[in-house]
Amino acid sequence: MNSFKEGLLYIYEKMKLYKEVIECYMQAHDHEGLIACCKRLGDSGKGGDPSLWADLLKYFGELGEDCSKEVKEVLTDIERDDILPPIIVLQTLSRNPCLTLSVIKDYIARKLEQESKLVEEDRIAIDQYQQIGETSAMRKEIQDLRTNARIFQLSKCTACTFTLDLPAVHFMCMHSFHQRCLGDNEKECPECAPEYRAVLEMKRSLKQNSKNQDHFFQQVRSSKDGFSVIANYFGKGIISKTRKGPEEALKSNNDYSNGNF
């Protein structure tokens, strides 16, 4: 009622109503205080709200006057902390007819150079993976297991290293054992089982995480690049639809990969 700005700002900030805080600075046309406020309250690492920077850019984009100095200062902070994508910055500031391209020219040039370096790094990584050929080799091995017979030529037991004699157990992973060395465990290879169980446990964990939708959306909201979070979930198979769960995959793998002779 008495226009006590300091008290109003104090209450808003204590209540974490950060958008109302910057609105007060906008109404007062206090650009210096507005930028300082966003630097203080827009830091997500300290519990702030990064979306304040988008509101700040929108304000300058709709201001209708020359605010080149302020925009350059804001872009310095946005670029340093990688807060907003360049396309959002460009679209927002393009609404102000008083701003020229020179204001964001250096910022856009640096971003394009940075993106080009990332693309080149990805291209090099792709070439390396293709040269290594691990994926192609795995697919070829799977196809070979499905269509061709396996010839077991090991002459020594993998466990005790003594000469292999009957009764013997051979696994599709090309490990062979005396039956006495396996004891009651003839369903899986002792050498490969720990690694496979670790993979299976990871799949179970990922499947469990896929049910936690709140955690997923929280990650998307808090991340600087929400697309990378979604791509990461797709890459791990967390939100892709599969016909078989880990348990069924384990059963079918054991039925197919393990053979007793």
Side-chain angles (χ1 to χ4, degrees), residues 132-159:
I132 294 174
E134 290 184 358
T135 303
S136 299
M138 286 182 180
R139 289 176 177 172
K140 184 178 179 181
E141 183 178 357
I142 292 172
Q143 182 64 18
D144 186 56
L145 284 170
R146 289 175 175 172
T147 57
N148 300 321
R150 279 281 193 176
I151 300 175
F152 301 97
Q153 297 178 331
L154 285 181
S155 59
K156 293 184 178 181
C157 174
T158 304

Side-chain angles (χ1 to χ4, degrees), residues 116-133:
S116 298
K117 289 181 179 179
L118 291 175
V119 170
E120 184 61 27
E121 290 175 0
D122 290 340
R123 185 178 292 111
I124 293 174
I126 290 171
D127 291 340
Q128 289 176 345
Y129 288 135
Q130 288 178 343
Q131 290 173 4
I132 294 174

Side-chain angles (χ1 to χ4, degrees), residues 38-55:
C38 280
K39 290 181 178 180
R40 184 166 47 87
L41 301 180
D43 188 350
S44 59
K46 297 180 180 179
D49 184 3
S51 66
L52 295 181
W53 291 101
D55 295 335

